Amino acid sequence: MEHFTIATVAEKSPDFRRVLWTGNHTQLVIMTIPPGGEIGEEVHEDIDQILTFVSGTGEAQVAGEKREVVQGDLVVVPAGTRHNFVNTGPNPLVLYTVYGPPEHADQAVHRTKEEADAAEAAGEDEPPTS
């Protein structure tokens, strides 16, 4: 059994992205976006994503729509949908997200967005294959 006190685990992680668990069909990832930072506009063609916000304030940009997000909010991003999440507040925007199927390398840890982008560009952040 995997068990996480997810809000506490997410709050304690200073990393931009940390993969907590990877299964055959889904993946659990925590993220911390610094003030003024963002995930970066992207589209996951074959992956659904559910994001739950633990703390901070931000802006969800999904399929051309914008909406404020705060602690306790959940946003669903269906596969093939352009999206970005931006930290609009003075504190880190902390969240956890579930990808289905997995999007990142198992146990990947990226301290910054730049590190995450470099790993993706180098092909070092590929999800496990079955």
Side-chain angles (χ1 to χ4, degrees), residues 2-121:
E2 295 288 337
H3 176 269
F4 301 98
T5 305
I6 194 66
T8 303
V9 171
E11 280 286 343
K12 289 183 177 180
S13 176
D15 300 311
F16 175 73
R17 180 168 53 224
R18 176 179 292 269
V19 175
L20 289 183
W21 180 83
T22 302
N24 291 329
H25 305 286
T26 58
Q27 183 173 64
L28 175 62
V29 176
I30 54 177
M31 298 185 75
T32 299
I33 304 168
E38 63 182 83
I39 289 175
E41 188 173 80
E42 58 188 358
V43 175
H44 305 298
E45 290 299 337
D46 299 315
I47 298 170
D48 292 322
Q49 186 174 6
I50 299 170
L51 303 95
T52 303
F53 296 85
V54 173
S55 65
T57 57
E59 180 179 80
Q61 302 168 358
V62 180
E65 293 184 44
K66 295 180 180 181
R67 182 166 294 171
E68 179 184 24
V69 290
V70 298
Q71 178 182 359
D73 286 351
L74 182 145
V75 176
V76 175
V77 180
T81 304
R82 183 167 304 282
H83 61 281
N84 190 12
F85 294 87
V86 179
N87 183 340
T88 59
N91 299 310
L93 179 60
V94 179
L95 63 103
Y96 61 92
T97 183
V98 176
Y99 293 96
E103 168 67 2
H104 300 287
D106 189 29
Q107 302 299 310
V109 177
H110 302 115
R111 292 179 29 236
T112 64
K113 180 178 183 340
E114 293 75 22
E115 188 177 298
D117 290 345
E120 287 178 18

